[in-house]
């Protein structure tokens, strides 16, 4: 762990910061909430759900206890419903870039969007890492990224009236093609394969727009970028036959080549690791640094299995470890949600549910 730093961010104190809003990170809010511990959860993606939402939202999951079949997105929606009573704060679309110990045993947490927090404890539920867009692999692309080469749409207005090239064959590429076709000055969709991974109705709409002469579709890929005075002016497209090339005017490019996970800053926080995973004990899933816990796909221990079910168990035991770290004097005992009035109060159910209890 790096040397402790001095900071005055104590006003933003939170008992627990959860890094990663995949299924396991979300469930950690619940297990902490039952013990009366508040949390803030941060994810680099714009939406919650981790791999379930990003990689397989429509696929059914069959091994969640008591849910014989549950869609991956449905699981996330149910988890979000379950954690509602605890009013956790979500910071989405920002990567946790810094975790540093403070002299008083707390932690300074900072994100790529400038959020700064002081945390009593941290739970890393970072899965396989933070998802990053696959970038265009072309010479000169770096200096255009964020100006005329984009991997997501921040403001659709910036593409209106422009010569637009959209790359990809998934939902994002097709949805934006259809949405921007009549707003852009010209629009070319470029996709490497004949098959699309988008909703059939959107693909059909795109083909109608091509037939109506409102846009063009090229089965191939971008071979080169043309710039004029450091500004994007056009692209050279190479068709799949490997021979035909096409010059297309381009003021803006939207590339939707999917996302890939990057372990990223987690590896720089001085925590003991083994093969890109954080080593934890199996009593409370604490890492090599007291006060920092790791659950879900990001951790490793003898017998570890990367299953949602295992992550849920880890979240339950980590919550007790966190409670002990924050309040070492407090006597710990197991309570059941079926019979504990204090837990029912925290959940907003049962006869005495008008206010939330404290730990
Ligand atoms: C196709 C597929 C099918 C699967 N089917 C099943 C199944 O049937 N049953 C089952 O049990 N499991 C299944 N899994 C595995 C399951 O999805 C994972 O075990 C589960 O998603 C792990 O949850 P998690 O919360 O630990 O991590 P993730 O879901 O990976 O979420 C981690 C989150 O952390 C965020 N993050 C990482 N680093 C940072 C950072 N520095 N700052 C901010 N945010 C960060 C990421 O953006 C991500 O959203 C499947 C996986 C795949 C790919």
């Amino acid at each position: 762990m790096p040397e402790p730093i001095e900071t005055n961010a104590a006003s933003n104190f939170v008992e627990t910061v959860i890094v990663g809003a995949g299924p396991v990170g979300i469930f950690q809010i619940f297990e902490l909430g039952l013990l009366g511990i508040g949390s803030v959860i941060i994810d680099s993606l714009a939406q919650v759900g981790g791999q379930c939402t990003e990689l397989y939202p429509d696929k059914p999951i069959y091994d969640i206890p008591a849910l014989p079949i549950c869609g991956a997105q449905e699981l996330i929606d149910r988890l979000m419903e379950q954690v509602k009573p605890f009013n956790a704060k979500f910071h989405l679309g920002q990567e946790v870039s810094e975790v540093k110990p403070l002299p008083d045993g707390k932690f300074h947490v900072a994100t790529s969007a400038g959020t700064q927090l002081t945390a009593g404890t941290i739970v890393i539920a970072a899965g396989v890492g933070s998802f990053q867009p696959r970038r265009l692999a072309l010479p000169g692309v770096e200096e255009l990224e964020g100006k005329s080469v984009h991997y997501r749409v921040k403001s659709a207005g910036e593409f209106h009236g422009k010569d637009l090239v959209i790359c990809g064959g998934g939902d994002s590429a097709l949805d934006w093609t259809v949405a921007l076709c009549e707003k852009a000055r010209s629009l070319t969709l470029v996709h490497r394969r004949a098959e699309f991974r988008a909703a059939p109705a959107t693909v059909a709409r795109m083909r109608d727009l091509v037939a109506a002469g409102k846009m063009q579709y090229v089965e191939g890929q971008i071979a080169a970028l043309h710039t004029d005075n450091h500004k994007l002016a056009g692209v050279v497209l190479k068709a799949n036959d490997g021979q035909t090339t096409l010059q297309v005017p381009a003021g803006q490019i939207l590339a939707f080549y999917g996302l890939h996970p990057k372990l990223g800053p987690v590896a720089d926080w001085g925590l003991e690791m083994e093969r890109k995973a954080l080593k934890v004990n199996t009593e409370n899933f604490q890492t090599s640094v007291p006060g920092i816990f790791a659950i879900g796909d990001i951790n490793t221990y003898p017998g570890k299995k990367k299953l949602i079910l295992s992550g849920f168990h880890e979240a339950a035991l980590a919550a007790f470890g966190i409670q002990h770290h924050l309040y070492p004097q407090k006597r710990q005992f197991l309570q059941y949600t079926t019979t504990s009035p204090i837990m029912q109060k925290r959940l907003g159910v049962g006869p005495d549910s008008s206010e939330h209890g404290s730990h």
Side-chain angles (χ1 to χ4, degrees), residues 19-25 42-45 47 49-52 55-56 59-64 94-97 125-131 262-263 265-266 269 295-298 306-309:
V19 181
V24 178
I42 306 171
D43 203 296
S44 49
L45 292 174
Q47 74 283 328
Q51 294 172 56
C52 293
L55 302 181
Y56 60 108
K59 284 203 163 55
I61 305 179
Y62 301 98
D63 58 348
I64 304 295
Q94 41 192 294
E95 183 178 68
V96 176
S97 47
V128 283
S130 67
F131 289 104
K262 189 188 87 185
L263 188 57
V266 174
W269 297 339
I295 58 170
D297 280 10
I298 192 75
K306 290 186 182 183
L307 288 171
I308 296 167
L309 168 73

Side-chain angles (χ1 to χ4, degrees), residues 8 57 60 106 133 168 193 223 245 264 283 341:
N8 60 3
K106 300 189 184 94
R193 281 181 283 277
T245 56
E283 183 189 342

Side-chain angles (χ1 to χ4, degrees), residues 228-282:
D228 181 12
N229 207 8
H230 302 286
K231 283 198 175 144
L232 181 68
V235 293
V236 180
L237 302 179
K238 199 168 190 183
N240 276 355
D241 61 13
Q243 313 238 310
T244 319
T245 56
L246 192 67
Q247 305 256 5
V248 174
Q252 295 286 330
I253 297 175
L254 271 168
F256 298 109
Y257 288 147
L259 300 162
H260 67 102
K262 189 188 87 185
L263 188 57
V266 174
D268 304 328
W269 297 339
L271 304 165
E272 216 177 303
M273 303 194 75
E274 192 176 283
R275 283 199 251 131
K276 293 193 179 172
L278 296 171
K279 282 177 87 169
V280 291
N281 68 54
T282 50

Side-chain angles (χ1 to χ4, degrees), residues 313-334:
H313 160 78
E314 294 161 15
L317 295 202
F320 283 98
I322 287 164
Q323 187 188 44
H324 182 68
H325 185 89
L326 290 170
Y327 308 104
Q329 314 301 341
K330 188 171 169 58
R331 207 164 56 85
Q332 290 195 323
F333 55 98
L334 184 72

